[in-house]
Amino acid sequence: MPHTAPPSIPFLPNMILLGMILMLASLSACDANTPSETTDTPAPPTPAAQDVTLVAGCNSCHGEDGVGNNPEVPFIAGQDANYLESAMRGYLIGDRQHEVMRAAVFDIDALERQQLAEHYAQLDAPWTAKTGAAPAASGQPRDLRAGQALSRPCAGCHGRDGNSIIEGVPSLAGLQPAYFIPALKSYLQGERQGAAIMKNFKLSLSEADIRQLAAFFAAQKRQRSPLGRQLKASDASDELAHRCLGCHGEDGNSTHPAMPSLAGQNAGYLIKAMQTYRDRERQNRMMTDIAQGLSDEAIQRNAVYFATRTPRAVGVAQASQTGTENFDPLGDGEKLAASCNACHGERGNSKTPGTPRLAGLSEDYLQTAIAHYRNGDRQHAMMQMLTRYLGDTDIEKLALYYASQTPMPPAPVAQAAQPDSTVTELAAGCAGCHGEDGNSQDSAIPSLAGQDARYIAAALAAYRNDQRQHSDMKNAAQALDKSASQKLGVYYSRLAPKNSPVHIMEAPAVLSQKCDRCHGEGGGNPDADKPRIAGQRQAYLVKALNGYKNKDRLNSTMNKMTAELSQLEIEAIAAHYSRQ
């Protein structure tokens, strides 16, 4: 007879898992030296064997002692049995969304759920990560050692620890890999001129070598260049430096990994670099625009300013830390904003034509806009580079900072400069979303009042040309020609902006007072039907809280508690309880 393919079997993976569970159960019988009998009809499982079958399926994720290795899977040893049973029931009836858990409990009846819950409730394994359960080491120590060995040919010019010893040669100590790697590659590939010796290393450095060199120099402490000892601070000028601080940070200590710190850098190198930007021998649009028309004297005095500053170890990672003892999202947002000020102005009030004002815009809109740049949904090379390293909580902090700032009123205009009827008719079509006075009532839609006129016109062109994706805005922009877009921009730029409401973020010490009402002091003495959260995995707590916020988990109390929490607050409170 011809071979016939077996019929498809639904839930095949579950059957395979069941087979494995049954095999484990049979092995347990062998280990117990239980004599086997050869019969045509197998005997029904004993209660003990049934317990083994139920528990074995859970152990693969939660561990035999209820303390598994997966950071997103909760510790369940010693949890209240009533809570565990209700959680399993929640997966079964859809109050909790999780495919694996629903499949696991689908064929388990109420009695079996209770047996499982009581099994794990009586376990007393400590809630700690097991030895060897941590993620594999990143290899950074190995990279540092390899990078140190590779750096020996560099020491003759850049110093043994990356602090320059030759005039005109940059210090490399403390430069972040995000800047160091593309900078080194540009020398090796001849895109940067003026350092011919660097081309000699083109064939000898692999990608791994470059990464290891970057790791080594990033770990070195930047010192003020000894070559600057003879410089006089009185010869410095902060006139040009003030424009540089917006990207390179306070006193030249950058908070952005792709922006090099200038504090304490070799003055000769800074002079040479700025001159190459001025003369367009080095290509960076922002830098070439800033350097155009500068005299050698102005460049030298600017170099003296940064060479005489004291280097400090800062970066996005430091600026964006969420500490439970030092919860300061507004302060962290201000630090992160240091690399935005050059274009968007102090406190987000831009004075650069074509660059938007950020002060007073709503948090929701700012978060969406920044994320769109980071994810490439908005096309802007500089903004994509600056936002590439921002996490979701970094974006929340930036949005909070700028939303909290007071927008500057528009410059007064002559009485004669009144909008014509055509412009007011166009604006009437925008009022439904952006507000009659240009101040939006919808937090997801930006206010246009007091916004830069050239920026509004450019944004409309971007929607029209699909550089920004938004169907409603695309339709509206396509109905406008260049002249109409410019007139709309001027119209809105003359309206008075208003502040948007700001979400007041609560520190873990405040939030925990609410949580402790049900989960007990410190989260460790919960009500009978509530879980213990003290010492629980942080990653799991974040996942669970987001589940309640997004209503993937249904619980009226928890849904209300999490509805207004930001991601920053969720991660902070999760970190707080994981440390209890």
Side-chain angles (χ1 to χ4, degrees), residues 440-493:
S440 172
Q441 301 302 306
D442 187 332
S443 63
I445 297 175
S447 293
L448 302 180
Q451 190 56 275
D452 180 78
R454 281 174 53 181
Y455 168 72
I456 292 175
L460 287 168
Y463 286 119
R464 188 165 53 243
N465 301 329
D466 290 327
Q467 292 175 309
R468 291 191 183 186
Q469 303 298 318
H470 193 288
S471 58
D472 291 341
M473 283 303 303
K474 179 178 175 65
N475 293 335
Q478 283 181 331
L480 302 172
D481 59 19
K482 183 176 181 181
S483 175
S485 297
Q486 291 173 340
K487 288 180 180 180
L488 265 179
V490 172
Y491 171 80
Y492 279 112
S493 71

Side-chain angles (χ1 to χ4, degrees), residues 197-395:
I197 190 174
M198 294 300 298
K199 294 181 183 179
N200 297 336
F201 299 98
K202 180 176 181 178
L203 299 178
S204 62
L205 291 175
S206 66
E207 288 286 336
D209 293 337
I210 292 173
R211 186 188 71 248
Q212 290 162 349
L213 273 173
F216 170 72
F217 283 118
Q220 306 311 302
K221 184 177 180 180
R222 168 74 67 86
Q223 306 288 342
R224 187 186 297 179
S225 173
L227 301 169
R229 289 172 184 164
Q230 74 276 17
L231 299 175
K232 297 179 181 178
S234 58
D235 292 335
S237 170
D238 61 1
E239 182 179 354
L240 176 58
H242 185 74
R243 298 177 63 190
C244 306
L245 300 180
C247 288
H248 295 283
E250 183 181 359
D251 279 347
N253 289 290
S254 175
T255 60
H256 195 283
M259 290 287 182
S261 287
L262 305 182
Q265 184 58 276
N266 182 328
Y269 167 72
L270 292 175
I271 292 170
K272 183 171 64 175
M274 205 65 176
Q275 287 174 337
T276 57
Y277 283 124
R278 180 193 62 187
D279 300 337
R280 297 187 182 277
E281 296 173 1
R282 191 166 162 181
Q283 299 303 313
N284 180 296
R285 182 175 177 180
M286 178 177 287
M287 289 301 300
T288 53
D289 288 348
I290 290 174
Q292 288 310 293
L294 293 178
S295 66
D296 286 343
E297 180 185 1
I299 289 175
Q300 181 173 356
R301 296 186 68 186
N302 186 58
V304 172
Y305 174 88
F306 287 110
T308 54
R309 303 297 108 176
T310 300
R312 290 183 290 110
V314 297
V316 160
Q318 279 187 281
S320 62
Q321 283 177 349
T322 304
T324 56
E325 295 80 15
N326 187 27
F327 185 79
D328 184 17
L330 192 61
D332 290 344
E334 183 176 13
K335 293 174 185 176
L336 289 165
S339 60
C340 310
N341 292 340
C343 295
H344 294 283
E346 293 289 334
R347 300 183 179 275
N349 283 292
S350 172
K351 296 180 180 179
T352 305
T355 301
R357 167 185 57 79
L358 304 182
L361 293 178
S362 72
E363 286 179 84
D364 286 350
Y365 170 72
L366 287 169
Q367 287 182 35
T368 300
I370 297 170
H372 280 176
Y373 284 119
R374 180 192 63 182
N375 302 337
D377 297 328
R378 284 194 181 185
Q379 302 301 313
H380 191 288
M382 179 58 70
M383 283 300 298
Q384 288 172 336
M385 185 274 290
L386 288 171
T387 57
R388 185 182 307 153
Y389 305 94
L390 296 176
D392 290 342
T393 55
D394 295 325
I395 290 176

